[in-house]
Amino acid sequence: MTGDIVPRTRGWQAAVVASDPPVITVTGEIELGNVDEVPRLGLSEPQGPDASVLTLDVEIVTGGASELAMHWAPIEFRHLLPEPTPSRVRVMWMGIEVALLDITV
Protein backbone atom coordinates (compact mmCIF):
# COMPACT_ATOMS: atom_id res chain seq x y z
CA MET A 1 0.00 0.00 0.00
CA THR A 2 1.49 3.35 -1.02
CA GLY A 3 0.14 6.77 -1.81
CA ASP A 4 -0.16 10.25 -0.37
CA ILE A 5 0.27 9.24 3.28
CA VAL A 6 2.45 6.13 2.91
CA PRO A 7 5.63 6.75 0.93
CA ARG A 8 6.33 4.68 -2.16
CA THR A 9 9.05 2.07 -1.73
CA ARG A 10 10.83 -0.36 -4.03
CA GLY A 11 13.61 -2.88 -4.34
CA TRP A 12 13.33 -4.50 -0.90
CA GLN A 13 15.68 -7.40 -0.09
CA ALA A 14 16.43 -9.25 3.13
CA ALA A 15 19.39 -11.60 3.52
CA VAL A 16 21.58 -13.29 6.10
CA VAL A 17 25.26 -12.44 5.73
CA ALA A 18 27.46 -15.41 6.62
CA SER A 19 29.81 -13.74 9.06
CA ASP A 20 30.82 -14.48 12.63
CA PRO A 21 28.39 -13.76 14.17
CA PRO A 22 25.76 -13.88 11.35
CA VAL A 23 24.06 -10.60 10.42
CA ILE A 24 20.74 -9.87 8.77
CA THR A 25 20.63 -7.06 6.21
CA VAL A 26 17.54 -5.38 4.80
CA THR A 27 17.81 -2.90 1.92
CA GLY A 28 15.42 -0.97 -0.27
CA GLU A 29 14.54 2.49 -1.50
CA ILE A 30 11.96 5.02 -0.38
CA GLU A 31 10.63 8.01 -2.28
CA LEU A 32 11.09 11.26 -0.37
CA GLY A 33 10.01 14.82 -1.13
CA ASN A 34 12.78 16.90 0.43
CA VAL A 35 16.58 16.68 0.12
CA ASP A 36 16.99 17.12 3.90
CA GLU A 37 15.10 13.87 4.62
CA VAL A 38 17.07 10.71 5.48
CA PRO A 39 15.33 7.33 5.87
CA ARG A 40 16.23 4.89 8.64
CA LEU A 41 15.11 1.39 9.56
CA GLY A 42 14.94 0.24 13.16
CA LEU A 43 13.55 -2.64 15.19
CA SER A 44 9.85 -2.28 16.03
CA GLU A 45 9.14 -2.15 19.74
CA PRO A 46 7.55 -4.37 20.70
CA GLN A 47 8.13 -7.08 18.09
CA GLY A 48 5.02 -8.94 16.95
CA PRO A 49 3.85 -12.22 18.51
CA ASP A 50 5.29 -14.34 15.65
CA ALA A 51 9.03 -14.90 16.29
CA SER A 52 9.49 -16.06 12.68
CA VAL A 53 8.83 -12.47 11.50
CA LEU A 54 11.28 -9.65 12.29
CA THR A 55 9.38 -6.35 12.25
CA LEU A 56 11.14 -3.10 11.31
CA ASP A 57 9.90 0.50 11.32
CA VAL A 58 10.78 3.13 8.71
CA GLU A 59 11.42 6.57 10.13
CA ILE A 60 12.47 9.77 8.43
CA VAL A 61 14.91 12.17 10.08
CA THR A 62 15.63 15.66 8.81
CA GLY A 63 18.67 17.88 8.91
CA GLY A 64 20.46 20.36 6.72
CA ALA A 65 19.17 22.71 4.08
CA SER A 66 15.60 22.08 2.97
CA GLU A 67 14.74 21.89 -0.72
CA LEU A 68 11.63 20.30 -2.19
CA ALA A 69 12.67 17.61 -4.66
CA MET A 70 11.15 14.17 -5.16
CA HIS A 71 13.87 11.52 -5.12
CA TRP A 72 14.56 7.88 -4.29
CA ALA A 73 16.75 7.38 -1.22
CA PRO A 74 18.47 4.12 -0.26
CA ILE A 75 17.67 2.59 3.11
CA GLU A 76 19.62 -0.15 4.90
CA PHE A 77 19.40 -2.08 8.16
CA ARG A 78 22.09 -4.39 9.59
CA HIS A 79 21.60 -6.33 12.81
CA LEU A 80 22.95 -9.43 14.52
CA LEU A 81 20.78 -12.39 13.56
CA PRO A 82 18.34 -12.93 16.43
CA GLU A 83 17.39 -16.30 17.94
CA PRO A 84 15.15 -17.91 16.95
CA THR A 85 16.11 -17.09 13.38
CA PRO A 86 13.28 -15.28 11.57
CA SER A 87 12.23 -16.40 8.09
CA ARG A 88 10.58 -13.12 7.07
CA VAL A 89 10.90 -9.37 7.59
CA ARG A 90 7.93 -7.02 7.85
CA VAL A 91 8.66 -3.36 7.05
CA MET A 92 6.20 -0.88 8.61
CA TRP A 93 5.48 2.83 8.14
CA MET A 94 3.46 4.34 11.00
CA GLY A 95 1.73 1.02 11.65
CA ILE A 96 1.07 0.21 7.98
CA GLU A 97 2.88 -2.66 6.29
CA VAL A 98 4.85 -1.51 3.23
CA ALA A 99 6.74 -4.78 2.58
CA LEU A 100 6.81 -8.40 3.69
CA LEU A 101 10.05 -10.12 2.66
CA ASP A 102 11.36 -13.65 2.70
CA ILE A 103 14.89 -13.76 4.09
CA THR A 104 17.51 -15.16 1.73
CA VAL A 105 20.08 -17.35 3.48
Side-chain angles (χ1 to χ4, degrees):
M1 169 187 248
T2 59
D4 292 338
I5 296 172
V6 178
R8 294 189 317 155
T9 65
R10 67 183 183 190
W12 290 107
Q13 296 181 14
V16 172
V17 177
S19 59
D20 187 22
V23 173
I24 185 167
T25 63
V26 179
T27 59
E29 290 183 296
I30 184 168
E31 188 176 42
L32 300 173
N34 199 311
V35 297
D36 73 340
E37 296 174 326
V38 177
R40 295 203 177 133
L41 277 174
L43 291 170
S44 294
E45 293 293 336
Q47 286 289 301
D50 185 353
S52 71
V53 178
L54 181 67
T55 304
L56 304 178
D57 289 323
V58 175
E59 63 178 52
I60 307 298
V61 295
T62 57
S66 176
E67 179 184 334
L68 296 178
M70 296 302 292
H71 65 285
W72 287 96
I75 189 168
E76 181 177 4
F77 175 82
R78 294 179 64 84
H79 187 70
L80 293 177
L81 191 63
E83 289 292 333
T85 302
S87 60
R88 300 176 109 183
V89 173
R90 175 174 286 121
V91 179
M92 305 290 287
W93 166 263
M94 301 179 93
I96 298 171
E97 182 180 290
V98 295
L100 182 60
L101 315 166
D102 291 324
I103 299 173
T104 304
V105 180

